[in-house]
Amino acid sequence: LGRTVLWKISGLEAPETESAAFALGAGLWGTALFLLGWAQALRPGPMALLAAAVSIAAFPALMRPRPRLMFTFGGPAGALAGGLIAYALFHAAIMALAPPVDADALAYHLTLPKLYLAQGTTAGISWLPFSRWPHLASVLSALPLSLGLVNGPALLSWAAAAFLLSAVYCVARVELGETEAVLACAVLIVQPVIADFSGTPRIESWWALFNFLALTAAWRWRSSGDPKALLLAGIFGGFGAAVKLMGLIVLLSMAAWSFWRQEGGFWRRASMAALLLCAGFAVVGPWYLKCWMETGNPVWPFFPGLFGDRFGAAYIVPRFLARNQWPDDAAMTFLLQRGAVHLALP
C-alpha cells in the first residue's frame, strides 16, 4: 500500500524509499483503523473488507521492480559496527517475541487497542485520559491483536526500528559517505529508542521513524525545490503528530522553516508552508477533531484557560509537565540518557 501511494505522490527514487513506503503504508493502515473505529465499525467484518480493499489497491506495487538495498561496511571497523547493528536488531527481535512486561505498554499502548476491539469503537474512554490524545501507533496495534497475535504490536515496533536504521543508513550514505552511514547507525542503536524500546509495543520507534522521514523529505525539498518533497514532509510530519501529541511541535517547526527557506515574496513563502501544513493536518486533523468533539479542546488537556477546564485539564497539565521536564542541574545527563526518545532526531 505504501509503495503504491508513494509512487503516485513522488515516484520511487529516494534512497530511503523502502523505509518511506513501509512508514506510509503503516500510517495509512492506522488512520483507516482509527476512522473505522470512529464510525463504530471496528469489528471483524468491516476490518476484513478493509483488508480486501487494501490488498486490491496495493497489488500493482507488487508488479513493479523493487530497488535493491545493499549494505556495505568498508573494512574491519565497519564490519564490527555492522555486526553490532545486526546483534542489536536480533536482541530486539527476541524481546519482541517474549511476552510483553513493559509497564507503559501494558498500561497504555496495549490496553487501548484491546478496549477498542472489545467495544468496536475508538471513542474516548472516560477513565483513561490517554485515549483522548493522538495515538496512531496504538490503534495500528489493533490489527495484529484482532488476529490473536499478542506479540504483533512489539514486532511492528521492531520493524519500525529496523526501517529507521535502514533509512538512516541509506540517507547518510548518499549525503555523507559509507563510513559515516555505518557510524550513524552504530550511534543510533545505543539510543533507548532502539536499545530499550524497539522490542516492546511502545510507540517511540514509530515516532522517530515518521519524524526522520519528514525531516529528510524537507531537507530534500531544500536542495531540489520540488513541492512533492514538501508534500511528503507534511504527510510524515502529520503521522508523527498522530503518533504522539508532541509531534505537533515538529510539524509546526517544519512549516516555519519552509517559510523561512523559501525564496520569493510573502505569498510564495506562505504557499509552501501552507502546502506542508495542509498535508500534515489532513493526516492528524481527524484526531484533533475527535478530541475537540469529546472535550471541547483539540489538544486536551493543554491550554485549559483558552478551551476550558474539562475532565480535570487544569489539574493534569502542571503534573504532566513536571513529570516530563528536564532537571536544571542534570539537563545534559538527561539528554544523553534519553537520547532519541525525546529528540526523535537521529
Side-chain angles (χ1 to χ4, degrees):
L1 177 62
R3 285 174 59 83
T4 300
V5 176
L6 191 61
W7 185 277
K8 296 291 185 182
I9 294 176
S10 64
L12 302 172
E13 300 176 355
E16 72 280 6
T17 289
E18 291 301 302
S19 295
F22 169 80
L24 188 57
L28 291 172
W29 254 112
T31 300
L33 290 173
F34 164 66
L35 295 176
L36 203 64
W38 202 6
Q40 300 185 355
L42 196 64
R43 304 189 185 282
M47 291 176 69
L49 290 175
L50 175 63
V54 169
S55 299
I56 294 172
F59 183 77
L62 299 176
M63 302 295 103
R64 297 193 182 101
R66 303 171 69 90
R68 297 184 62 186
L69 181 60
M70 298 295 294
F71 291 93
T72 54
F73 302 105
L80 175 61
L84 292 174
I85 294 168
Y87 173 77
L89 287 175
F90 172 76
H91 175 261
I94 296 300
M95 289 177 58
L97 291 171
V101 295
D102 180 78
D104 192 64
L106 292 175
Y108 172 23
H109 302 298
L110 289 178
T111 300
L112 282 175
K114 289 179 179 179
L115 289 174
Y116 289 158
L117 288 171
Q119 63 188 15
T121 177
T122 52
I125 302 169
S126 59
W127 54 269
L128 199 57
F130 302 115
S131 66
R132 308 191 189 281
W133 300 350
H135 46 275
L136 177 69
S138 298
V139 171
L140 181 62
S141 297
L143 185 61
L145 290 176
S146 68
L147 301 174
L149 302 176
V150 179
N151 298 103
L155 289 171
L156 283 175
S157 176
W158 174 87
F163 277 105
L164 171 63
L165 278 168
S166 174
V168 169
Y169 175 83
C170 292
V171 172
R173 186 174 63 176
V174 172
E175 298 289 341
L176 303 173
E178 182 180 291
T179 302
E180 290 79 359
V182 175
L183 177 61
C185 292
V187 170
L188 182 57
I189 62 169
V190 300
Q191 300 292 330
V193 69
I194 301 292
D196 294 341
F197 300 146
S198 61
T200 72
R202 291 204 185 199
I203 52 87
E204 276 75 15
S205 298
W206 290 107
W207 199 46
L209 175 62
F210 285 131
N211 284 332
F212 181 77
L213 292 172
L215 293 168
T216 299
W219 187 262
R220 184 163 293 110
W221 166 79
R222 174 184 178 272
S223 59
S224 68
D226 186 358
K228 293 179 180 179
L230 202 61
L231 179 65
L232 275 179
I235 292 173
F236 284 126
F239 282 138
V243 165
K244 201 176 184 71
L245 185 61
M246 295 302 174
L248 181 61
I249 298 174
V250 180
L251 182 62
L252 295 178
S253 298
M254 286 195 303
W257 178 80
S258 64
F259 180 88
W260 173 64
R261 291 297 308 182
Q262 176 62 45
E263 298 179 353
F266 173 83
W267 293 112
R268 177 62 178 170
R269 293 170 178 264
S271 65
M272 290 296 101
L275 173 64
L276 187 147
L277 286 176
C278 287
F281 279 99
V283 173
V284 73
W287 289 94
Y288 295 145
L289 178 61
K290 170 181 174 290
C291 188
W292 175 74
M293 293 174 63
E294 293 176 350
T295 68
N297 181 351
V299 290
W300 184 92
F302 297 101
F303 308 111
L306 177 62
F307 295 106
D309 179 20
R310 296 190 64 185
F311 303 105
Y315 176 86
I316 292 173
V317 169
R319 287 158 178 81
F320 176 83
L321 295 178
R323 180 176 178 270
N324 287 275
Q325 70 181 0
W326 291 1
D328 293 336
D329 59 345
M332 199 62 191
T333 301
F334 189 85
L335 173 64
L336 294 174
Q337 287 179 345
R338 304 299 292 177
V341 170
H342 285 270
L343 299 181
L345 306 177

